[in-house]
Amino acid sequence: MNAALEQTLHIRDLGCQPYEPVFEAMKRFTEGRDESTPDELWWVEHDPVFTQGQAGKEEHLLFPGDIPVVQVDRGGQVTYHGPGQIVGYPMLDIRRRHIGVRELVTAMENAMTDALASHGITAYARPDAPGVYVAGSGEGKHLKIGSLGVRIRRGCSYHGLSLNVDMDLSPFLRINPCGYQGLEMTQVAQLVSGAPPAMTEVRNRIQAALMAALGYNSCQSVVDPGNILQDT
């Protein structure tokens, strides 16, 4: 096994993109990869979109209105993506890394909580509801700040995590987020004093924590990242 392939994570910054071209690119990348394909981490902000996972139920789409709804092949129910939200897609050969789905999910949850802790935000995962939460006012109340959902195909992962940083949260009121009626969402901008941290700063902290948890020793930026969306 090529040691550099095992230890290096390739980083692809896609900027702000519509959801569907990125979704199609994830599927193409996963279907076309082989044992010599490096693992990648894709960073993106999406134009406003609701995505409905394989377990999604129509009744959780309350009134989507002018925001498109895309049916996707990840686990989970319905969520919202929009500008001001960090979205990361770990495109990993988990079989080659000898990790399971639960380990990948835990690594993503912990990476988000670590990044939030660096900005003085105490967040946590819940065993009964995947994602990352902060305590709300009132006993036992949880506000959701980070979501995740993955798909494994041919031993490889796609889809991933999203963390609300500084965005318009109102579209979440048009759905039952992740299938939970009345679940309140929050974001970094509401939990820090002063201006929220830069998206790149939060993203870099998530990236560093993910790499450490999954055993990557170095990262390498992909040159001309937009090409991945143009491949046929």
Side-chain angles (χ1 to χ4, degrees):
M1 181 65 66
N2 185 322
L5 190 66
E6 286 258 319
Q7 297 173 1
T8 303
L9 183 63
H10 288 223
I11 309 300
R12 199 178 286 268
D13 185 353
L14 299 177
C16 190
Q17 299 288 343
Y19 181 84
E20 290 185 275
V22 180
F23 178 35
E24 294 301 321
M26 285 194 289
K27 291 188 288 185
R28 279 197 307 272
F29 180 88
T30 302
E31 189 64 33
R33 66 182 300 167
D34 59 27
E35 64 277 359
S36 66
T37 304
D39 288 340
E40 297 194 3
L41 175 59
W42 296 6
W43 290 115
V44 64
E45 288 181 68
H46 283 304
D47 296 339
V49 65
F50 295 117
T51 65
Q52 190 161 14
Q54 291 181 312
K57 297 180 180 178
E58 194 70 25
E59 59 263 32
H60 295 308
L61 289 161
L62 305 178
F63 46 98
D66 58 349
I67 298 177
V69 179
V70 178
Q71 304 294 323
V72 298
D73 58 356
R74 60 163 171 77
Q77 303 249 2
V78 62
T79 194
Y80 170 72
H81 298 304
Q85 179 192 69
I86 291 173
V87 179
Y89 295 133
M91 312 292 290
L92 314 180
D93 187 333
I94 66 170
R95 187 163 47 195
R96 184 169 64 199
R97 300 212 68 74
H98 306 292
I99 61 173
V101 178
R102 182 65 252 179
E103 291 171 275
L104 176 59
V105 167
T106 298
M108 289 192 290
E109 290 174 331
N110 289 345
M112 288 191 280
T113 59
D114 287 353
L116 292 168
S118 70
H119 296 289
I121 299 170
T122 301
Y124 50 87
R126 295 174 57 192
D128 59 329
V132 173
Y133 300 81
V134 299
S137 58
E139 186 176 351
K141 186 171 184 179
H142 309 280
L143 307 180
K144 193 166 191 178
I145 191 169
S147 303
L148 54 87
V150 297
R151 167 82 175 191
I152 306 299
R153 178 164 172 75
R154 302 169 63 236
C156 300
S157 68
Y158 59 107
H159 297 292
L161 63 88
S162 61
L163 182 68
N164 306 335
V165 177
D166 188 10
M167 63 186 299
D168 177 9
L169 294 176
S170 64
F172 283 106
L173 300 175
R174 305 190 194 185
I175 60 173
N176 290 330
C178 306
Y180 292 95
Q181 184 176 3
L183 176 63
E184 291 186 40
M185 306 296 291
T186 189
Q187 59 183 327
V188 174
Q190 294 175 331
L191 300 172
V192 295
S193 58
M199 297 278 283
T200 53
E201 180 183 349
V202 181
R203 189 183 79 178
N204 288 343
R205 289 186 181 275
I206 295 173
Q207 181 175 303
L210 263 182
M211 289 177 60
L214 298 175
Y216 297 97
N217 294 332
S218 63
C219 62
Q220 178 178 323
S221 295
V222 176
V223 178
D224 197 12
N227 281 347
I228 197 73
L229 304 182
Q230 307 301 323
D231 292 343
T232 58

